[in-house]
Amino acid sequence: MSPFREPLPIYKNVTSIIRGRWARSKVAQGVTPNTLNLTASAPHVSYTSHKYNRNITGESGDLRVKLAEQEDGLSSDLGMARKIKAEMVIKDETSSGDGWDVAMFGVHYPQQGGVILSTTSEKFAGIFALPHFTLSARAFGLAQRLLSSGLKEVIDKQESSFDAVLNPWTSSPNNPSESLFPIPHCEFIVYLQQHPYNDPNLIFQDIEDELRSPAGAPMPSTPNLKMSALIFSPDCGFVLESRGPPDYSPVEGLHLVGKKIEAYIRTTKNFILIFALLVCAEVFLLKNQMNEASTPSTKSRISFYSIVMMALGDGFACISLLVAGMFVDALFLPLVATGFLSFLCVSFFGMKFLMDIWTVQAPERQERDRARQRIRDQRNATAAENHLPNIPITSTPNNPSAPVVTTAGADTLPLPATARRSANNTTATPVILPPDQDIDAAEGEDARLMNALATTNNQTTTTTLGSARREMGALYSKFYFLLLTILFLSLHATSWQTTARSIYCSTLAFLYLSFWTPQIYRNVMRNCRKALSWQFVMGESLVRLAPFVYFYVWDDNVLYIRTDPGAILVLSAWVWIQVFVLASQEAVGPRFFVPEGWAPLAYDYHPVLREAADGEAGSNMPVGFSEAIATPTSPVARTSTGLALPTAARPPEQSKEKNKRTFDCAICTETFDVPVMTSANSDGGAKTSAAAPATIFARRTYMVTPCRHIFHSRCLEGWMRYRLQCPICREGLPPL
């Protein structure tokens, strides 16, 4: 501790959170700790174990100290002293979770910046012996007076409280009733010394007043609190010190550095505000995407599981913010407000979008389930045929009136004429009356059919609504069950070993940032080039990656998470690889990286057009009109039977450019040139490669329907957002 002299340029109130790295001190090298006798130290205590807890055996680790200083103190001619409480978290390679939590009490000397802390237990009266740990007579006198004046207050509080703990200075902050199952643990004596600043422009008293009672006065940026630490265990015999100059280089450590608690709260509020803006951006992007995908055709292209993964992230953030707001009084309002924004994002917008996608894709799932059921039925039938015994099968004659012939002969008579006969197995010739001969019967039959149809429709509607409600209820249950499972598993992971917890967090972050992978898979299975707007893709990628960049890159983050540039590089690269694949699927094709035959068959709206020579097969030229044809715009003609048949159109004109033909788009009524592959005998034997990049990108400008009508890609895609019918012949079109 510094000797008593003029006040130093330091903080007078050290309420803060400081952290750094520790290492074993050279003072303890070669010193063998003495063996302690627990029975002699605490004869009235029966320990459940003789293994010491909080025994630091590693060579280095992390150290975090949260200081809380009382405003009222002792001021005399000897100087000034205040009571202080500290919660120290010390961790080495063998500790689990965040390390060992230790609560300590002591004295702070504001004018000199020194702090003395000690643990107190049934075998070590640290708080009562604290004055004897001081390094000067004046410090001893201040500590003795301060602790003596506060001892009576503690005794009165213990006597007036019905649920008072036996040890009000317990060193286990999370287990104040440790006396029920006592476990021996290492005691600590900690010396902290604040480092002064050499900048003469810093007036710490003004800075502290502005932090405590903001008045809007212009102030420089708040300097961090810097302290060095020396930790001594009198019973376990180890001596630790904070890593920093001059024994260690600045790269290895800068002792203990942190923000004043007022500055930390202000920084945390700024972070929460930025996170709230990110949530608002998510709501804005999701709302725009919902407007873009307003039709069943566009909703059927979107992957349900991509939106689920984003909604799970929003729900996780919502619950985390609300729980944190319950424990941090100073940040209650911003935490709860931001949590409510996340709740809106996941419950109103996210779940609504999920329900719309789920409803639109219901027929697809039903068809898939029916296909699986047919496969199972075929397998069961095959298995049954292979295991059936060879039993002779006796066929029943079509005429029920004929005698039944068995192995014993014709021992049965035909059915009597008055017996009830099956309507399906009758040999009588049906008599069909024309409508004009039985008008009443026909009208009655029509009315019966209409009533039956209305009843069936009502029953189908009721069944569909009930099924939809059940599916929505099951969807909500599964979603929130998965969300709570991830939340409780994450809470449990906080007590794991550092390596296991790091692996869990990295894996969870990797899986969460894989939200574009289901969309890539759906594009491949449906042969769909584009399902989401690029505003949504780019915006969501940036917004959801931003918090990970902050925690993995910014060393002074609000949660004190250790930075890991390598992990954030991997996560960022993974997100942008997915975005690149989505862009490649739109430009080159949804199956450009999938080997042929690995994906189910799907119609290709961008085929390679081939024009065969006379008498040669293989032409797949679409039906269309060139710009020189002045025939009616409709390429269909009505026959007498009412069927729409393609009309005989003149072949499209050849474009001025080589290997191109000119067609008309019936939607925008504009002409456009299309690349066409010709045979070896035409155009002087020129041949266009279908795999050339220029040809691939040129094919994206047009779309050919199964009925061989050609359109601009942008025109037909806009049309198919509302109708899956050909604009010309009204034939059904496969979805994109």
Side-chain angles (χ1 to χ4, degrees):
M1 182 181 297
S2 302
F4 284 80
R5 59 175 183 266
E6 294 298 325
L8 299 174
I10 56 178
Y11 286 110
K12 299 302 184 289
N13 187 305
V14 293
T15 302
S16 60
I17 301 176
I18 53 178
R19 60 194 182 100
R21 300 277 295 172
W22 64 264
R24 289 195 174 271
S25 177
K26 298 178 182 179
V27 176
Q29 291 181 356
V31 178
T32 303
N34 297 325
T35 303
L36 298 180
N37 188 346
L38 285 177
T39 305
S41 301
H44 58 283
V45 179
S46 299
Y47 289 103
T48 58
S49 173
H50 291 279
K51 182 179 180 180
Y52 273 71
N53 204 356
R54 300 200 298 243
N55 190 12
I56 307 300
T57 59
E59 294 297 325
S60 63
D62 295 331
L63 178 63
R64 185 173 74 246
V65 182
K66 181 180 179 182
L67 300 172
E69 182 177 353
Q70 295 182 2
E71 288 297 330
D72 55 339
L74 177 64
S75 180
S76 67
D77 54 348
L78 297 178
M80 183 182 296
R82 295 175 184 165
K83 293 181 182 179
I84 190 171
K85 178 184 177 181
E87 292 184 8
M88 183 177 67
V89 179
I90 186 168
K91 176 171 60 174
D92 65 357
E93 295 85 355
T94 62
S95 59
S96 60
D98 286 333
W100 304 112
D101 293 346
V102 184
M104 297 178 292
F105 297 84
V107 179
H108 173 226
Y109 301 94
Q111 294 178 341
Q112 291 73 35
V115 179
I116 301 177
L117 300 165
S118 175
T119 58
T120 302
S121 66
E122 63 280 348
K123 63 182 179 63
F124 183 71
I127 191 65
F128 303 98
L130 188 67
H132 298 278
F133 302 150
T134 58
L135 305 180
S136 67
R138 300 175 69 180
F140 173 85
L142 284 172
Q144 187 181 37
R145 293 183 185 180
L146 181 65
L147 295 176
S148 298
S149 63
L151 184 60
K152 186 177 184 303
E153 298 178 2
V154 175
I155 295 176
D156 294 340
K157 183 178 179 180
Q158 290 288 102
E159 292 178 349
S160 61
S161 179
F162 293 99
D163 56 347
V165 295
L166 297 179
N167 182 9
W169 298 281
T170 177
S171 60
S172 299
N174 298 325
N175 187 19
S177 300
E178 62 178 1
S179 59
L180 297 176
F181 303 99
I183 298 175
H185 49 251
C186 297
E187 307 297 339
F188 291 95
I189 300 174
V190 179
Y191 295 89
L192 299 175
Q193 177 61 50
Q194 187 179 171
H195 292 190
Y197 279 85
N198 297 325
D199 189 355
N201 297 323
L202 292 176
I203 305 176
F204 281 89
Q205 186 61 45
D206 295 343
I207 294 176
E208 287 191 85
D209 293 340
E210 179 64 24
L211 288 175
R212 193 169 305 170
S213 303
M219 286 292 172
S221 59
T222 305
N224 289 333
L225 185 71
K226 297 182 180 179
M227 282 187 167
S228 56
L230 181 67
I231 305 172
F232 168 62
S233 177
D235 49 358
C236 294
F238 56 79
V239 181
L240 313 176
E241 62 181 10
S242 57
R243 300 180 67 170
D247 295 338
Y248 299 91
S249 64
V251 178
E252 295 177 307
L254 293 172
H255 294 288
L256 303 180
V257 183
K259 294 180 179 293
K260 286 273 294 177
I261 194 64
E262 298 87 356
Y264 174 78
I265 292 176
R266 185 176 61 185
T267 303
T268 307
K269 287 182 179 179
N270 294 336
F271 169 76
I272 296 174
L273 177 60
I274 295 175
F275 188 80
L277 295 177
L278 293 178
V279 174
C280 292
E282 292 177 6
V283 174
F284 173 78
L285 294 170
L286 186 60
K287 190 68 173 63
N288 286 349
Q289 181 59 47
M290 293 172 65
N291 294 334
E292 288 284 336
S294 57
T295 61
S297 177
T298 53
K299 291 175 183 176
S300 63
R301 310 175 195 175
I302 300 175
S303 173
F304 175 80
Y305 296 101
S306 290
I307 309 301
V308 164
M309 295 172 69
M310 297 180 188
L312 284 174
D314 297 334
F316 188 87
C318 170
I319 298 178
S320 301
L321 291 170
L322 294 177
V323 172
M326 296 171 60
F327 293 96
V328 185
D329 296 336
L331 301 173
F332 175 78
L333 184 59
L335 285 172
V336 171
T338 308
F340 181 71
L341 282 177
S342 300
F343 175 77
L344 288 178
C345 183
V346 64
S347 296
F348 288 89
F349 296 98
M351 294 305 296
K352 182 180 183 304
F353 198 29
L354 286 175
M355 287 190 293
D356 293 342
I357 297 174
W358 181 270
T359 304
V360 169
Q361 297 178 3
E364 178 182 342
R365 293 192 303 274
Q366 295 172 0
E367 179 61 30
R368 187 165 55 245
D369 294 340
R370 285 193 291 266
R372 293 174 182 173
Q373 185 62 36
R374 286 195 295 268
I375 294 175
R376 285 194 294 267
D377 294 343
Q378 292 176 359
R379 291 177 180 175
N380 295 336
T382 304
E385 291 177 358
N386 295 334
H387 293 83
L388 282 178
N390 296 327
I391 300 176
I393 301 176
T394 304
S395 60
T396 303
N398 293 331
N399 189 0
S401 61
V404 179
V405 181
T406 64
T407 55
D411 55 352
T412 59
L413 297 175
L415 295 175
T418 58
R420 185 173 183 178
R421 302 173 183 269
S422 174
N424 297 329
N425 296 327
T426 178
T427 57
T429 302
V431 179
I432 301 176
L433 294 177
D436 56 350
Q437 296 186 17
D438 197 357
I439 297 177
D440 296 336
E443 291 179 352
E445 183 68 17
D446 291 342
R448 186 184 64 80
L449 291 176
M450 292 299 294
N451 293 333
L453 181 60
T455 303
T456 303
N457 290 338
N458 293 334
Q459 294 177 353
T460 303
T461 303
T462 304
T463 304
T464 304
L465 291 176
S467 176
R469 292 191 186 99
R470 288 192 299 271
E471 290 183 355
M472 290 301 104
L475 178 63
Y476 267 93
S477 302
K478 293 178 181 178
F479 176 82
Y480 287 108
F481 175 77
L482 181 59
L483 177 60
L484 293 177
T485 301
I486 295 175
L487 182 65
F488 284 114
L489 185 61
S490 301
L491 290 176
H492 183 64
T494 57
S495 61
W496 295 354
Q497 291 286 344
T498 304
T499 303
R501 183 177 56 184
S502 178
I503 293 175
Y504 170 78
C505 294
S506 299
T507 304
L508 187 64
F510 184 84
L511 293 176
Y512 169 66
L513 294 177
S514 303
F515 44 77
W516 297 132
T517 302
Q519 185 61 57
I520 295 173
Y521 175 78
R522 185 165 182 82
N523 290 348
V524 171
M525 300 303 292
R526 290 176 56 89
N527 198 27
C528 174
R529 291 192 302 113
K530 182 180 179 182
L532 301 168
S533 65
W534 277 110
Q535 180 192 42
F536 182 76
V537 173
M538 299 299 294
E540 288 288 344
S541 301
L542 291 172
V543 167
R544 297 187 181 275
L545 191 60
F548 292 92
V549 174
Y550 170 74
F551 287 115
Y552 278 88
V553 174
W554 193 258
D555 183 65
D556 197 19
N557 57 78
V558 296
L559 296 182
Y560 299 117
I561 297 176
R562 182 181 296 182
T563 59
D564 192 349
I568 193 58
L569 285 177
V570 172
L571 295 176
S572 301
W574 172 236
V575 171
W576 296 115
I577 286 174
Q578 297 176 79
V579 174
F580 174 76
V581 173
L582 288 175
S584 301
Q585 286 183 320
E586 180 178 354
V588 183
R591 300 182 176 182
F592 74 96
F593 60 94
V594 180
E596 186 177 357
W598 285 26
L601 296 177
Y603 180 74
D604 185 11
Y605 279 95
H606 307 277
V608 178
L609 298 182
R610 294 180 175 85
E611 184 180 30
D614 296 339
E616 188 175 324
S619 175
N620 66 340
M621 294 294 289
V623 178
F625 292 91
S626 69
E627 56 186 355
I629 300 178
T631 54
T633 57
S634 176
V636 296
R638 291 284 174 180
T639 61
S640 58
T641 59
L643 298 177
L645 299 176
T647 58
R650 195 174 66 187
E653 289 189 353
Q654 183 172 350
S655 174
K656 295 180 180 180
E657 300 182 23
K658 189 175 182 181
N659 297 330
K660 286 191 176 182
R661 298 294 182 268
T662 302
F663 290 90
D664 286 343
C665 176
I667 298 177
C668 66
T669 67
E670 294 182 0
T671 59
F672 60 102
D673 294 337
V674 175
V676 176
M677 291 187 62
T678 58
S679 61
N681 298 330
S682 63
D683 296 331
K687 192 175 279 189
T688 305
S689 176
T695 306
I696 293 176
F697 286 103
R699 286 162 51 194
R700 303 302 167 208
T701 61
Y702 67 86
M703 295 177 66
V704 180
T705 61
C707 49
R708 295 179 60 191
H709 293 115
I710 189 169
F711 306 92
H712 285 118
S713 293
R714 63 179 185 275
C715 296
L716 189 58
E717 286 178 355
W719 172 275
M720 293 180 67
R721 292 183 58 186
Y722 302 97
R723 289 188 178 183
L724 293 178
Q725 289 181 339
C726 177
I728 297 177
C729 63
R730 304 302 178 187
E731 183 177 341
L733 300 178
L736 290 175

